[in-house]
Amino acid sequence: MLTRNTFLAGAAALVALSVVAPAGAQAPIKIGELNSYKVFPAFLEPYKKGFELAVEEVNAAGGVLGRKIEVVSRDDNGNPGDAVRVAEELLSREGASFLVGTFPSNVGLAVADFAKQRKVLFIAAEPLTDKIVWDQGNAYTFRLRTSTYMQTAMLIPDAVKLNKKRWAIVYPNYEYGQSATAAFKKLLSAKQPGVEFVTEQATPLGKIDAGAVVQALADAKPDAIFSSLFGPDLAKFVREGQQRGVFKGVEVFNLLAGEPEYLDPLKEETPDGWYVTGYPWSELKTPEHTKFLDAYQAKYKDYPRLGSVVGYATIMSAVAIIKKAGSLDQDKLIAAASGITVLTPFGMVEYRPIDHQSTMGAYVGKLGVKDGKGYMKEWRFVDGKDVLPSDAEIKEMRPAK
């Protein structure tokens, strides 16, 4: 039986509810993010801080389409199967409007294929494999980070100048390392006919037998080495190689060793003179980077890593696409993403219509040691648009729509 007290209590509850959630209030736009946090913490902990800073800035400025944004984040365990399951959960259970993220290339490729099947936008933040925009590219996948081909192409001019004939290659034996190796061999051979690759050492990711690898290099007696190792594998390789003197008199190129995530742990063991791509964060003075650096340090009392830049730029890309689309309709999002320009801490980038690859650049230089710490010296910025294949080559590689 409905009594007067019951009625009044119910009315009061409705009033209270209306105060908390006023009529017309809109729920936040959910962006589904997945990454290999437990497997690659050195890069992805700063990455998460970067995207959280971007979310905070966007929401403080009023959000997008009159709504706040919310990133719903999940760990994919660095496993393609788990990543596809997590991606499905983000869309179906969490109500995410689209997907962003991933780190290892094999996981990125799996989620890209899932996005194609589900016909949903996917901004691949970090996977570096060239396949994700070329051989296996699809209409729904856009990649932010400078690819293995692009970063390798940035190092080729220095390699050609040295005119070394006998090269050894060391790489982690999964999609990223394989892709980097293929790009290096192709690009160097085209610029320097007659170059020889005297040994290739493919190491299990995270499980390098540094002693055996370094011994194989010593036996091959190369003039120069190209490596795409990173993280703990890189540290073990550096330590073992220096102890055995394998790097003396040998020019070494390493694809990612200038990134703070991988450079900082080397400290005084940082090998002097290696050619690398990386991120000399303390020396960049552009307005866009200074703004990002000041905000990041104010929030976290720490300096950014490259992951921080990637996380930040990923969310800013997502927001720019939503704003341009004026909708969360997938077809409108895809149309908006194609050719969009986004301001990042590294400057303006474009997601190219021809292959959905962003023109994000990278810094190229050499490693050095100062005050017991590794740093990048003699660095220069290379714009991503200047190290991409021709449109004709891309059309040959990328599947027809």
Side-chain angles (χ1 to χ4, degrees), residues 8-276:
L8 290 174
L14 287 172
V15 170
L17 183 61
S18 69
V19 171
V20 174
Q26 291 190 299
I29 295 172
K30 291 185 177 181
I31 298 171
E33 192 277 337
L34 63 159
N35 240 308
S36 311
Y37 290 100
K38 291 193 290 287
V39 181
F40 300 104
F43 191 96
L44 292 172
E45 287 174 6
Y47 161 91
K48 191 169 187 179
K49 289 179 178 177
F51 84 59
E52 287 174 345
L53 175 62
V55 170
E56 185 178 279
E57 289 183 4
V58 169
N59 287 339
V64 61
L65 305 186
R67 297 165 66 179
K68 299 293 179 75
I69 61 169
E70 176 187 343
V71 174
V72 184
S73 186
R74 296 287 184 271
D75 199 309
D76 59 33
N77 299 314
N79 179 282
D82 287 353
V84 169
R85 175 182 55 78
V86 166
E88 180 61 56
E89 288 178 0
L90 286 168
L91 296 178
S92 301
R93 188 181 304 173
E94 300 295 343
S97 297
F98 55 88
L99 301 169
V100 303
T102 70
F103 181 97
S105 291
N106 53 344
V107 171
L109 287 170
V111 177
D113 186 64
F114 170 81
K116 176 184 174 183
Q117 304 305 321
R118 285 292 306 266
K119 298 183 178 179
V120 63
L121 172 66
F122 170 44
I123 303 173
E126 173 62 22
L128 301 182
T129 176
D130 300 311
K131 289 180 180 177
I132 206 164
V133 289
W134 297 339
D135 305 55
Q136 297 179 28
N138 66 64
Y140 299 90
T141 299
F142 294 75
R143 196 249 303 283
L144 168 67
R145 182 74 195 278
T146 313
S147 74
T148 50
Y149 179 99
M150 295 163 74
Q151 291 189 75
T152 301
M154 292 175 185
L155 293 173
I156 288 295
D158 288 320
V160 172
K161 282 179 190 175
L162 295 174
N163 197 32
K164 300 297 183 181
K165 185 174 183 180
R166 294 169 55 82
W167 284 81
I169 298 181
V170 184
Y171 62 96
N173 194 17
Y174 77 113
E175 176 56 36
Y176 149 74
Q178 295 161 5
S179 183
T181 297
F184 183 78
K185 292 171 69 175
K186 176 183 177 181
L187 290 168
L188 186 61
S189 297
K191 294 285 186 181
Q192 188 181 326
V195 66
E196 296 177 18
F197 300 101
V198 294
T199 185
E200 289 187 25
Q201 296 296 308
T203 71
L205 178 62
K207 299 176 181 177
I208 187 173
D209 183 347
V213 170
V214 168
Q215 185 58 54
L217 296 181
D219 293 343
K221 296 181 173 57
D223 303 320
I225 299 168
F226 174 76
S227 160
S228 50
L229 298 173
F230 64 96
D233 287 342
L234 173 62
K236 292 174 184 175
F237 177 63
V238 167
R239 190 169 299 119
E240 192 72 25
Q242 289 185 330
Q243 287 176 353
R244 300 194 188 197
V246 169
F247 305 136
K248 286 181 181 177
V250 176
E251 302 288 357
V252 182
F253 289 68
N254 189 279
L255 205 56
L256 308 177
E259 297 177 11
E261 292 87 335
Y262 314 128
L263 175 58
D264 292 354
L266 294 175
K267 298 181 182 177
E268 68 278 357
E269 291 184 309
T270 298
D272 186 65
W274 281 23
Y275 294 83
V276 298

